Amino acid sequence: MVHVLSSRILLRPTDPERSRAFYGEQLGLAVYREFGTGAERGTVFFMGGGFLEVSGRSETPPAPAVRLWLQVDDVGAAQEELRAKGVDIVRPPVEEPWGLVEMWIADPDGTPIVLVEVPADHPMRYRPGI
């Protein structure tokens, strides 16, 4: 078995400065580290139990199959905070049939981001008899 020490998602945005501002200032992810210099520098953000690296540049946006899943304590509060920071809400919070509360936003290149609230009584948190 491979012993994974760390993991991260690597994004190559079409406009690195715009994406750094979105993830750092609007989404509020803390910076883990930066490397390189100038507009092409790389930035690695904390993302809960993993990292998001925004580095390099791509001529085209990421494939539509790429999506980010971020768990938050309170999706409603996240909606208010993000809306106040100018983030477009693609889909407001909805309790899904599987019991999670999900809200969708997108980064500047259109990468879908789902913000998920796991209710206290959801099986992901609470498993009776265990």
Side-chain angles (χ1 to χ4, degrees):
M1 179 163 77
V2 176
H3 182 71
V4 177
L5 299 176
S6 180
S7 63
R8 71 180 61 176
I9 295 166
L10 176 61
L11 287 181
R12 300 264 190 244
T14 58
D15 183 337
E17 285 295 327
R18 181 180 68 177
S19 291
R20 269 192 290 280
F22 173 80
Y23 285 104
E25 296 166 20
Q26 291 184 291
L27 202 51
L29 298 181
V31 173
Y32 170 65
R33 73 181 193 96
E34 293 188 287
F35 54 92
T37 59
E40 300 302 315
R41 76 184 182 282
T43 304
V44 180
F45 295 96
F46 282 106
M47 198 170 66
F51 299 96
L52 173 67
E53 180 177 324
V54 176
S55 64
R57 181 183 295 267
S58 175
E59 295 301 315
T60 59
V66 174
R67 294 163 191 254
L68 301 178
W69 192 94
L70 303 174
Q71 184 176 338
V72 298
D73 290 335
D74 183 337
V75 171
Q79 178 184 23
E80 290 177 25
E81 181 179 338
L82 293 172
R83 188 173 279 144
K85 291 180 178 180
V87 175
D88 289 328
I89 307 301
V90 174
R91 193 190 83 180
V94 172
E95 184 173 341
E96 300 292 355
W98 46 89
L100 300 177
V101 182
E102 298 185 3
M103 176 180 77
W104 289 82
I105 61 173
D107 80 357
D109 281 326
T111 301
I113 301 168
V114 60
L115 293 137
V116 179
E117 178 181 331
V118 181
D121 62 348
H122 192 276
M124 287 178 69
R125 284 194 187 194
Y126 174 72
R127 295 174 58 192
I130 295 179

